[in-house]
């Protein structure tokens, strides 16, 4: 698949088929993530591929968190109800990929370097997944419950979560959201 086409057509998917994703495909996608550039070539990303009961625990955590911020059942808007279903199930995705980076307190510049490296790998992951016919949704909202997620994943104390994404075959077609300033008049500054 052409790179520009993948960049342009990838969308955040919030509804998935239950079909399993072959391990070889998951590994191809994570290999693409592993080829990202990284600060000092530290390749400081780590990926947790979460399935089965652990996946359900992660989804329950997001559901609980979302429910806490919403009015009680019966008083929610349709939009809130739809979002809650998405949160509780991650749209039915069979897998959740959690990306982590080293936790280094008191070193803000290295923190930035680690974060940017893992973000680069994560975007590679999203694009490779799209090329494989898979759906993803870059998510940081669920990190509001990061401590509990860390417990579910048995995360070592020296790792912190950067983002997670459901991974599975899409069960929806998502319209593209127009980008602001499409002609790049405000977002790009040319200097000489
Ligand atoms: C850093 C980051 C955090 C995001 N967090 C969430 C999230 O918590 N929940 C969610 O549903 N989507 C999340 N998204 C997805 C955005 O909503 C989505 O990328 C944006 O609306 C553009 O849509 P598109 O990805 O289909 O082009 C996140 C995206 C990024 C890059």
């Amino acid at each position: 698949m052409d790179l520009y086409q993948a960049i342009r057509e990838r969308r955040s998917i919030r509804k998935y088929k239950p079909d399993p994703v072959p391990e070889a495909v998951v590994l191809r996608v994570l290999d693409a993530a592993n080829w990202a550039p990284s600060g000092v070539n530290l390749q400081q990303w780590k990926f947790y591929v979460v399935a089965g009961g652990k996946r359900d625990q992660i989804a329950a955590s997001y559901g609980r968190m979302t429910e806490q911020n919403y009015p009680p059942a019966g008083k929610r808007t349709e939009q809130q109800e739809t979002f809650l279903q998405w949160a509780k199930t991650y749209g039915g995705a069979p897998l959740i990929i959690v990306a982590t980076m080293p936790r280094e307190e008191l070193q803000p510049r290295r923190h930035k370097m680690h974060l940017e490296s893992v973000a680069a790998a994560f975007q590679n992951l999203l694009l490779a997944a799209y090329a494989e016919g898979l759906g993803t949704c870059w998510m940081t909202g669920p990190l509001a419950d990061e401590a509990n997620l860390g417990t579910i994943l048995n995360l070592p104390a020296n790792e912190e979560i950067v983002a997670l994404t459901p991974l599975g075959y899409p069960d929806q077609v998502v319209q593209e959201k127009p980008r602001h300033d499409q002609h790049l008049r405000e977002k790009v500054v040319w200097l000489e």
Side-chain angles (χ1 to χ4, degrees):
M1 175 179 280
D2 175 66
L3 178 64
Y4 283 94
Q5 186 193 349
I7 289 171
R8 186 65 200 266
E9 291 181 354
R10 177 217 54 82
R11 294 278 73 79
S12 294
I13 299 298
R14 297 184 177 85
K15 200 163 175 243
Y16 296 85
K17 295 179 180 159
D19 311 14
V21 184
E23 192 178 308
V25 177
V26 176
L27 284 172
R28 268 204 302 273
V29 167
L30 294 179
D31 183 53
N34 198 35
W35 278 101
S38 61
V40 204
N41 193 24
L42 285 174
Q43 304 172 30
Q44 51 274 73
W45 40 77
K46 195 161 161 192
F47 299 102
Y48 291 78
V49 181
V50 189
K54 288 279 185 195
R55 191 217 79 98
D56 295 347
Q57 285 180 47
I58 288 190
S61 142
Y62 192 32
R64 246 187 340 264
M65 232 182 65
T66 308
E67 223 156 16
Q68 278 165 11
N69 295 323
Y70 279 177
K75 296 202 168 164
R76 295 176 197 133
T77 64
E78 203 182 315
Q79 199 183 10
Q80 285 173 331
E81 217 37 83
T82 307
F83 190 87
L84 184 57
Q85 280 317 307
W86 147 240
K88 277 181 176 169
T89 61
Y90 280 100
L95 297 175
I96 297 171
I97 310 278
V98 183
T100 70
M101 69 178 202
R103 187 190 296 279
E104 286 181 14
E105 272 153 34
L106 307 175
Q107 295 203 30
R109 285 185 58 214
R110 278 180 70 84
H111 184 272
K112 210 170 184 178
M113 178 181 77
H114 293 332
L115 190 61
E116 290 175 25
S117 301
V118 181
F122 211 65
Q123 178 66 357
N124 275 11
L125 186 165
L126 262 56
L127 292 174
Y130 181 71
E132 295 282 355
L134 289 162
T136 54
C137 183
W138 186 320
M139 296 177 75
T140 53
L143 307 194
D145 194 26
E146 189 175 348
N148 186 36
L149 294 181
T151 306
I152 296 168
L153 298 169
N154 302 320
L155 219 60
N158 62 355
E159 269 178 53
E160 70 178 279
I161 300 175
V162 173
L164 62 80
T165 176
L167 186 74
Y169 295 97
D171 197 17
Q172 66 175 169
V173 176
V174 178
Q175 293 305 309
E176 68 176 38
K177 293 180 188 162
R179 276 7 188 191
H180 306 307
D181 187 26
Q182 289 215 20
H183 301 292
L184 302 177
R185 294 204 179 97
E186 287 157 31
K187 285 186 181 159
V188 177
V189 180
W190 299 78
L191 297 171
E192 54 180 62

